[in-house]
Amino acid sequence: MTERTLAIIKPDAVERHLAGKIIQRIEDEGFQIRAMRRIHLSAAQAEGFYAVHRARPFFTSLTQFMSSGPAIVLVLEAADAIKKWRTLMGATDPAKADAGTMRKEFAQSIERNATHGSDAPETAAYEIGYFFAGIDLI
Ligand code: CMP
């Protein structure tokens, strides 16, 4: 089933000029890019985006990192896009990520892990709506 997911190229990857390589890989793997924006989240916007993690010990550090510089948000479309993008990203912790995944190749740590992807259809709907209006998705 054709599905959409939200991807983020996180500030650590944008800062190191890895966006082009990551976007190339996204296209090579057969995703359609339905929308894309460069953003710089405020702390409050990062806290809203990651609200589900607010009780976690890493929440403050994570939201500070995510608001520390520009990031790129994308809506990706493909068959089974949510799982397909999470597989391409690899494990959250780059030390555990498989060879050839985005996080194995580009992440610096479990927090500065280069990319984000929605984890379920409901999350994808919320996360896409967080950055894009319906009119942006073409
Ligand atoms: P992401 O896929 O964006 O979802 C939540 C983020 O929290 C995750 O990637 C990491 O950047 C971060 N994260 C998850 N677990 C930890 C952890 N144990 N320590 C620090 N950051 C974490």
Side-chain angles (χ1 to χ4, degrees):
M1 188 188 70
T2 301
E3 189 176 61
R4 288 175 176 174
T5 191
L6 184 88
I8 306 181
I9 303 173
K10 294 189 181 188
D12 61 305
V14 172
E15 184 181 35
R16 286 177 293 141
H17 301 129
L18 296 169
K21 286 197 173 93
I22 293 171
I23 292 167
Q24 185 67 62
R25 193 68 194 279
I26 286 169
E27 293 202 309
D28 288 348
E29 296 290 335
F31 291 95
Q32 298 293 328
I33 297 172
R34 290 293 177 216
M36 179 163 71
R37 285 175 62 198
R38 187 174 189 268
I39 58 165
H40 189 156
L41 288 172
S42 66
Q45 286 170 329
E47 287 163 12
F49 182 79
Y50 280 119
V52 66
H53 294 304
R54 100 191 126 242
R56 302 285 190 95
F58 56 80
F59 181 71
T60 302
S61 175
L62 171 64
T63 54
Q64 281 173 356
F65 158 59
M66 289 299 291
S67 56
S68 68
I72 295 172
V73 289
L74 309 93
V75 177
L76 307 182
E77 186 176 282
D80 211 8
I82 294 171
K83 189 161 158 239
K84 183 177 163 84
W85 173 233
R86 290 180 71 80
T87 301
L88 180 57
M89 287 196 298
T92 305
D93 181 352
K96 296 180 183 151
D98 290 338
T101 62
M102 301 291 85
R103 282 154 169 177
K104 187 66 174 186
E105 283 186 32
F106 301 127
Q108 296 177 305
S109 67
I110 194 166
E111 179 173 278
R112 299 173 68 87
N113 64 352
T115 55
H116 167 83
S118 311
D119 63 3
E122 307 72 45
T123 327
Y126 172 76
E127 293 184 353
I128 290 170
Y130 203 83
F131 295 111
F132 299 98
I135 198 169
D136 295 325
L137 302 170
I138 52 169

